[in-house]
Amino acid sequence: MSSTVFDSFLFRDMFGTPAMREIFSDAAYVRRIIDTETALARAQASVGIIPTEAADRITSKADFDGLDLDRLRAETEIVGYPVLPIIKQVADQCGDAGGYLH
């Protein structure tokens, strides 16, 4: 059973398109958080807050496809929001440079 018209097989295209639903999907949301974190690392490196090498490694290693989505869901339920669990997993992907994530 659908919980909203956006999930509904019958009504979803009356209120949006597949392309628009993808923009607001969970995967797109998590990818934008990763994009924001990598942009923040580059900005911090550009003003000397973190080493350039760390920002480069964060940018090259942070990857949605490397996330454990079951772990992300479970930790999001515990914390109440997904940013911290995403940062923890991205930090693991980045090795020592992960310590420079916000």
Side-chain angles (χ1 to χ4, degrees), residues 43-54:
Q44 288 175 320
S46 74
V47 296
I49 296 173
I50 70 171
T52 301
E53 299 79 19

Side-chain angles (χ1 to χ4, degrees), residues 19 21 24-25 35 42 44 46 53-54 63 66-67 79 83 93:
R21 282 191 298 280
F24 293 101
S25 71
D35 290 348
R42 290 189 303 275
Q44 288 175 320
S46 74
E53 299 79 19
D63 180 32
L67 298 177
V79 176
V83 176
Q93 293 174 352

Side-chain angles (χ1 to χ4, degrees), residues 14-45:
M14 292 173 63
F15 298 96
T17 63
M20 186 56 66
R21 282 191 298 280
E22 177 53 33
I23 289 171
F24 293 101
S25 71
D26 289 342
Y29 175 70
V30 171
R31 284 186 169 96
R32 296 303 73 84
I33 290 173
I34 292 171
D35 290 348
T36 300
E37 290 298 326
T38 59
L40 176 59
R42 290 189 303 275
Q44 288 175 320

Side-chain angles (χ1 to χ4, degrees), residues 3-93:
S3 59
T4 72
V5 293
F6 303 109
D7 300 326
S8 171
F9 170 77
L10 296 173
F11 302 111
R12 70 175 162 218
D13 290 332
M14 292 173 63
F15 298 96
T17 63
M20 186 56 66
R21 282 191 298 280
E22 177 53 33
I23 289 171
F24 293 101
S25 71
D26 289 342
Y29 175 70
V30 171
R31 284 186 169 96
R32 296 303 73 84
I33 290 173
I34 292 171
D35 290 348
T36 300
E37 290 298 326
T38 59
L40 176 59
R42 290 189 303 275
Q44 288 175 320
S46 74
V47 296
I49 296 173
I50 70 171
T52 301
E53 299 79 19
D56 292 344
R57 184 161 180 84
I58 290 166
T59 298
S60 69
K61 295 294 183 181
D63 180 32
F64 173 83
D65 293 327
L67 298 177
D68 178 337
L69 299 181
D70 289 331
R71 176 181 158 200
L72 177 59
R73 181 187 39 73
E75 291 178 356
T76 297
E77 290 174 0
I78 293 167
V79 176
Y81 62 95
V83 176
L84 180 60
I86 292 167
I87 299 306
K88 285 173 57 177
Q89 287 195 47
V90 169
D92 291 344
Q93 293 174 352

